[in-house]
C-alpha cells in the first residue's frame, strides 16, 4: 500500500489554548503540530513499538512558525502535516493551519533528528527495519535566522513535572510558553506575535535547574535557556 504522504486533522480551538485576549497561543499551535506528526507516523506504521525495537527516537532540532491572522477560541482549524525526505541528518516536516474558509492562518516548519537512544548519537540514516516512508522533495522552508542582541538573566527555575514529557526532559513545546512569558505586557497589549523560532541545542532533564535570559532589539525578543552554564534552547519572537 502506498504510504500517505500527508495527514489532515480538523479541530476546534479550546478556551484553555487561548491567552488573555482569547487568541490561540503559539504553544498550542506547536502542540497540535506535534500530535498530528505522531498520529501521521502511527498511521504509516512508525509506532512507539518500532522506536523501542530499533532503539531510536525523534528529537526536535528547531522549529519556526509564522502567524498570518489571529485565531480565537471556538474557531475551527484544519491542520495538514507534510513530512519530506531527510536532508543529511535532518528530517523536515511542515504543518499548514487553515481556517474554515481555507485561508492560511499559520505555517509551521520543523526539523527533527533521529537518535539512537542507547548511544545518544544522531543517525544519518534510519535503521532498515524502520521502513521510513516519507520521500517527498522539500517544497517549503521558513527562515530560522534571528538577531542575538545583548541579554541578561531574568529568572531561575527547574525542569518541573508540568514541563516534562515521557522522554524525561522539557517538552519542546513548553519552551514556547516559557519564552512568551518573557514578553513585556504593554507590548503584547499593542502588538500581535507574527513569528517564533526555537532552536534546541541540549535537553534539560526532569528536575534540573535552568535560567532564562532575554533581550529586545526593535520588534524582536531574543530568549535563551541555559542549564549548568550550558546553552540549551534559544530563539526569538517577533511582534507586529
Amino acid at each position: 500500500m502506498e504510504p500517505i504522504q500527508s495527514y489532515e486533522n480538523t479541530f476546534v480551538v479550546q478556551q484553555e489554548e487561548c491567552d488573555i485576549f482569547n487568541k490561540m497561543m503559539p504553544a498550542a499551535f506547536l502542540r497540535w503540530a506535534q500530535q498530528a506528526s505522531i498520529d501521521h507516523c502511527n498511521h504509516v506504521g512508525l509506532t512507539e513499538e518500532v522506536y523501542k525495537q530499533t532503539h531510536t527516537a525523534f528529537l526536535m532540532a528547531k522549529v519556526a512558525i509564522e502567524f498570518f491572522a489571529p485565531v480565537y477560541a471556538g474557531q475551527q482549524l484544519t491542520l495538514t502535516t507534510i513530512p519530506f525526505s531527510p536532508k543529511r541528518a535532518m528530517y523536515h516536516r511542515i504543518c499548514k493551519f487553515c481556517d474554515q474558509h481555507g485561508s492560511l492562518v499559520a505555517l509551521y516548519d520543523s526539523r527533527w533528528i533521529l537518535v539512537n537512544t542507547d548511544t545518544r548519537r544522531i543517525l544519518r540514516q534510519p535503521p532498515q527495519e524502520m521502513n521510513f516512508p516519507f520521500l517527498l522533495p522539500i517544497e517549503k522552508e521558513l527562515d530560522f535566522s534571528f538577531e542575538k542582541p545583548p541579554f541578561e538573566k531574568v529568572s531561575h527555575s527547574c525542569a518541573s513535572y508540568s514541563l516534562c514529557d515521557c522522554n524525561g526532559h522539557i517538552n519542546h513545546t513548553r519552551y514556547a510558553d516559557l519564552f512568551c512569558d518573557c514578553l513585556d505586557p504593554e507590548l503584547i497589549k499593542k502588538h500581535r506575535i507574527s513569528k517564533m523560532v526555537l532552536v534546541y541545542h541540549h535537553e534539560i532533564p526532569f528536575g534540573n535547574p535552568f535560567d532564562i535570559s532575554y533581550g529586545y532589539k526593535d520588534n524582536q525578543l531574543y530568549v535563551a535557556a541555559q542549564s549548568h552554564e550550558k546553552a540549551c534552547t534559544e530563539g526569538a519572537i517577533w511582534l507586529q
Side-chain angles (χ1 to χ4, degrees):
M1 184 176 67
E2 189 73 17
I4 298 174
Q5 295 293 341
S6 65
Y7 186 85
E8 189 174 285
N9 182 29
T10 297
F11 63 95
V12 175
V13 179
Q14 301 301 305
Q15 189 76 59
E16 64 191 28
E17 300 173 305
C18 296
D19 61 15
I20 60 172
F21 307 107
N22 217 28
K23 293 190 290 190
M24 189 173 174
M25 293 183 285
F29 284 92
L30 267 60
R31 284 191 266 276
W32 275 107
Q34 176 181 247
Q35 188 58 52
S37 302
I38 293 170
D39 292 343
H40 189 191
C41 286
N42 285 334
H43 194 74
V44 299
L46 291 176
T47 63
E48 188 65 30
E49 187 60 34
V50 170
Y51 296 129
K52 288 180 180 178
Q53 290 174 356
T54 57
H55 303 274
T56 58
F58 277 106
L59 298 178
M60 177 68 81
K62 54 185 177 179
V63 60
I65 182 167
E66 291 188 6
F67 304 99
F68 305 110
V71 174
Y72 296 92
Q75 195 167 338
Q76 180 176 289
L77 295 183
T78 297
L79 185 167
T80 303
T81 182
I82 310 168
F84 302 102
S85 295
K87 187 177 181 181
R88 294 187 289 275
M90 286 283 187
Y91 294 77
H92 296 220
R93 180 182 284 270
I94 67 167
C95 294
K96 300 175 182 179
F97 293 83
C98 295
D99 64 17
Q100 59 268 40
H101 306 296
S103 298
L104 186 68
V105 297
L107 181 63
Y108 161 108
D109 184 355
S110 61
R111 310 296 166 82
W112 300 77
I113 53 173
L114 185 66
V115 299
N116 181 291
T117 53
D118 294 331
T119 65
R120 307 306 291 176
R121 290 185 176 180
I122 297 172
L123 301 176
R124 290 190 171 272
Q125 296 292 334
Q128 288 186 345
E129 54 268 45
M130 282 192 78
N131 190 29
F132 191 77
F134 304 129
L135 302 173
L136 291 176
I138 297 167
E139 68 171 39
K140 177 69 177 178
E141 296 184 72
L142 295 182
D143 183 4
F144 286 86
S145 62
F146 50 82
E147 296 284 335
K148 191 173 180 178
F151 59 93
E152 60 182 358
K153 184 167 65 178
V154 293
S155 68
H156 179 78
S157 189
C158 76
S160 60
Y161 170 84
S162 61
L163 294 176
C164 296
D165 60 21
C166 61
N167 290 313
H169 56 78
I170 297 179
N171 181 269
H172 74 271
T173 71
R174 299 298 179 185
Y175 289 101
D177 290 316
L178 291 169
F179 285 16
C180 283
D181 285 346
C182 297
L183 287 165
D184 185 299
E186 293 306 312
L187 284 176
I188 202 65
K189 287 177 184 177
K190 299 175 183 177
H191 304 275
R192 72 173 183 87
I193 296 173
S194 60
K195 184 179 179 180
M196 173 181 281
V197 172
L198 297 170
V199 179
Y200 306 92
H201 303 299
H202 297 282
E203 304 163 0
I204 303 181
F206 176 54
N208 278 26
F210 68 92
D211 297 312
I212 293 287
S213 306
Y214 70 76
Y216 280 100
K217 183 174 182 179
D218 300 326
N219 66 334
Q220 179 212 285
L221 171 71
Y222 169 79
V223 191
Q226 306 93 19
S227 181
H228 299 300
E229 299 184 355
K230 179 190 294 184
C232 296
T233 301
E234 63 179 337
I237 300 171
W238 285 261
L239 298 175
Q240 190 176 74

